[in-house]
């Protein structure tokens, strides 16, 4: 599949990405991520390994779009919402008589 990352065209295949990430230890995920095989990698780490470009040269959205098009599962770094505070029940308590 032809895609453009950081203004450069790349011909990416699913097998090519799998080969590029073979033996690469995943860094801690703090943002967007891609699941490759059984491992979860940061999108920027995958983009750097596949394109051989510096991570500062491309956005995570560019790599995420390409990985999704190749059929990989991508997860976004949406912050978790705080849990809604539970309100006490308005039911009357049973009387102890």
């Amino acid at each position: 599949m032809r895609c453009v990352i950081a203004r450069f065209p790349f011909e990416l295949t699913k097998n090519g990405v799998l080969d590029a990430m073979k033996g690469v230890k995943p860094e801690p995920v703090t943002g967007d991520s891609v699941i490759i095989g059984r491992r979860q990698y940061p999108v920027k780490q995958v983009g750097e390994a596949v394109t051989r470009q510096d991570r500062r040269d491309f956005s995570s959205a560019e790599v995420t779009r390409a990985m999704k098009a190749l059929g990989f599962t991508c997860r976004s770094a949406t912050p978790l919402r705080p849990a809604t505070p539970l309100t006490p029940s308005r039911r009357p308590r049973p009387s102890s008589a």
Side-chain angles (χ1 to χ4, degrees):
M1 174 195 93
R2 185 175 172 85
C3 64
V4 176
I5 298 175
R7 300 178 314 272
F8 291 99
F10 291 94
E11 192 66 39
L12 298 178
T13 63
K14 189 166 188 169
N15 286 335
V17 173
L18 290 169
D19 289 342
M21 298 309 293
K22 191 179 291 185
V24 176
K25 183 180 175 187
E27 296 172 359
V29 176
T30 58
D32 296 342
S33 63
V34 180
I35 298 175
I36 299 175
R38 295 182 182 177
R39 296 181 170 180
Q40 187 173 359
Y41 294 90
V43 170
K44 291 278 198 164
Q45 182 183 10
V46 174
E48 184 177 55
V50 171
T51 66
R52 302 195 195 301
Q53 293 181 336
D54 191 282
R55 296 176 190 204
R56 296 171 291 184
D57 294 339
F58 54 84
S59 70
S60 61
E62 291 174 300
V63 179
T64 300
R65 190 175 13 220
M67 294 300 112
K68 281 184 180 179
L70 289 173
F72 291 103
T73 302
C74 299
R75 295 188 176 157
S76 64
T78 54
L80 298 176
R81 294 184 313 183
T84 348
L86 298 175
T87 56
S89 176
R90 298 285 180 181
R91 292 185 306 200
R93 290 189 177 166
S95 60
S96 56

